Amino acid sequence: MATGKRIGVLTGGGDCPGLNAAIRAVTKNAIQLGYEVIGFLDGLEGLMNGEHAILDTIKTSGIIDRGGTILGSSGVPPSEVENRSAEVFYNFEDLSLEAIVVIGGNTTMSIAGMLSKKGLPIVGIPKTIDNDVKETDYTIGFQTAVQIATDALDRLRSTAESHNRVMILEVMGRDTGWIATYAGMANGADAILIPEIPVDIEKLCEMLKERSERGKRFSVVVVAEGTKLEGKIIAEYGKPGGVGRFLEGIIKEKAGLESRTTLLGHVQRGGTPVAYDRNLATAFGVKAVELINAKKYGEMTALKGNRFTSVPLQEVADGIKTVDLNVYRMAEVFFG
Ligand code: F6P
């Protein structure tokens, strides 16, 4: 039903499970409130190029459980969007939009904050498996990634046990160790290494050696990709990655223990979202449209405790949310 009211939606940055559930929720709630909905293709690229598709209830049916994003996504540097903001405003007017919903992580939220400051009616929805967006307890995709990493750790533990080995799992987390902490805690890992806490290699190797001498035939270690070892981030192709293999060498050398590394990589970002992420995405999608309907722009949907609420984009724009060290300390009780 075309009523003249129109909103746009896009997914920006790296994908994660639950994006389609959010697109579905935005679209279906908006249509119920009398809006027409368009989806920008390939994230902020689509917003700058004007490339879009009409979203309706048919296109957004049956996608709540589908991984990836039906709209496509891209990583665009904030400076590029800033330089091309005239094109963004042109497309906004040209497509007769009332507001835009951007579903993204930290970079996308700071771009949204910048566009909001320039006067674009915009609302954000936080997503990233890294769970490092400020002012919300959880982001879409995080719980699914934790489940995938936990399943991997469980499997690694059983093979570790058979061979008297140290099994290392490297998980995503460029700047923060949310996935490592929550998956490690769920698995009962023997050590969790995260960017927030400097690694004491000697202590770690001592603990692994002592465990083996005590007759514990194996150890499981989870490490976030952005964790510094010997004062540096291990990077492959200019991005954090490879810290697990590096650690493997150190453990062999200092503790004399055989170890193997698994780099979980993009498996964490793909596939079916767990129920938690579908519900979070659905609630955030509904909330984002409510904000637009109330003309409350410049906000990001957020979860605080059990409450779905919103926070000003300007409060989210800079910085990241690091791991709650109280939770880390609880996981640490079971180390060694
Ligand atoms: O931001 C999520 C994230 O999964 C990071 O943890 C990881 O470093 C990065 O994306 C990988 O991004 P790309 O797909 O560009 O390699």
Side-chain angles (χ1 to χ4, degrees):
M1 174 183 45
T3 60
K5 297 203 297 181
R6 241 182 167 204
I7 66 165
V9 58
L10 66 84
T11 49
D15 71 346
C16 69
L19 291 176
N20 285 324
I23 295 167
R24 165 189 177 268
V26 167
T27 305
K28 292 197 173 187
N29 192 31
I31 288 171
Q32 274 186 31
L33 292 172
Y35 292 91
E36 199 174 71
V37 183
I38 65 154
F40 287 102
L41 305 180
D42 296 334
L44 290 153
E45 288 285 356
L47 183 59
M48 294 186 292
N49 299 335
E51 278 184 40
H52 66 278
I54 302 283
L55 290 178
D56 55 26
T57 50
I58 309 244
K59 273 199 191 127
T60 53
S61 274
I63 63 168
I64 195 167
D65 59 343
R66 206 193 299 170
T69 160
I70 59 165
L71 293 174
S73 194
S74 58
V76 182
S79 56
E80 188 181 335
V81 185
E82 174 123 52
N83 292 339
R84 295 179 61 190
S85 53
E87 290 161 66
V88 170
F89 277 86
Y90 174 84
N91 291 328
F92 184 83
E93 294 296 327
D94 191 48
L95 291 164
S96 309
L97 293 176
E98 199 169 300
I100 294 176
V101 179
V102 293
I103 308 168
N106 278 318
T107 308
T108 308
M109 288 310 131
S110 53
I111 292 171
M114 179 269 292
L115 291 171
S116 168
K117 251 192 193 161
K118 288 183 187 287
L120 197 75
I122 199 161
V123 165
I125 294 180
K127 69 82 219 174
T128 163
I129 63 163
D130 293 344
N131 197 38
D132 59 358
V133 177
K134 274 174 29 183
E135 298 299 326
T136 182
D137 291 350
Y138 292 121
T139 52
I140 299 168
F142 170 61
Q143 297 289 354
T144 306
V146 167
Q147 192 58 57
I148 293 167
T150 303
D151 291 345
L153 285 168
D154 292 347
R155 286 171 191 278
L156 289 173
R157 190 169 44 197
S158 67
T159 162
E161 206 165 2
S162 315
H163 292 278
N164 198 6
R165 278 174 178 158
V166 177
M167 291 307 239
I168 302 165
L169 181 71
E170 178 176 327
V171 297
M172 281 187 170
R174 238 174 338 190
D175 307 305
T176 61
W178 285 97
I179 299 173
T181 301
Y182 276 68
M185 189 169 174
N187 168 263
D190 301 299
I192 301 172
L193 311 182
I194 61 174
E196 288 88 339
I197 300 179
V199 179
D200 184 336
I201 289 282
E202 301 299 331
K203 204 171 141 200
L204 174 73
C205 290
E206 205 41 55
M207 179 274 280
L208 293 172
K209 227 166 93 182
E210 193 269 329
R211 239 180 91 81
S212 153
E213 283 161 7
R214 232 190 313 143
K216 289 272 192 181
R217 285 179 50 84
F218 67 95
S219 294
V220 173
V221 177
V222 51
V223 57
E225 62 185 353
T227 305
K228 280 188 188 152
L229 284 189
E230 296 178 344
K232 56 177 189 270
I233 292 178
I234 313 300
E236 283 171 344
Y237 318 113
K239 288 185 173 203
V243 65
R245 290 303 289 272
F246 194 78
L247 184 64
E248 193 182 307
I250 295 176
I251 291 172
K252 176 88 198 141
E253 188 195 311
K254 292 191 186 285
L257 296 171
E258 190 187 356
S259 53
R260 295 283 189 274
T261 304
T262 302
L263 204 160
L264 204 50
H266 288 77
V267 168
Q268 292 159 98
R269 293 224 315 237
T272 310
V274 295
Y276 188 95
D277 278 328
R278 297 181 204 186
N279 290 337
L280 187 66
T282 300
F284 279 170
V286 169
K287 181 80 190 170
V289 175
E290 279 173 8
L291 289 167
I292 288 174
N293 210 31
K295 301 205 181 318
K296 200 172 168 201
Y297 307 129
E299 295 278 304
M300 181 190 82
T301 63
L303 177 72
K304 300 229 180 215
N306 282 330
R307 221 159 41 87
F308 293 106
T309 180
S310 69
V311 293
L313 273 170
Q314 302 310 331
E315 281 177 23
V316 180
D318 298 311
I320 53 167
K321 181 186 68 187
T322 51
V323 166
D324 180 344
L325 294 183
N326 291 318
V327 176
Y328 184 88
R329 299 293 169 218
M330 289 170 183
E332 202 178 31
V333 169
F334 304 93
F335 287 5

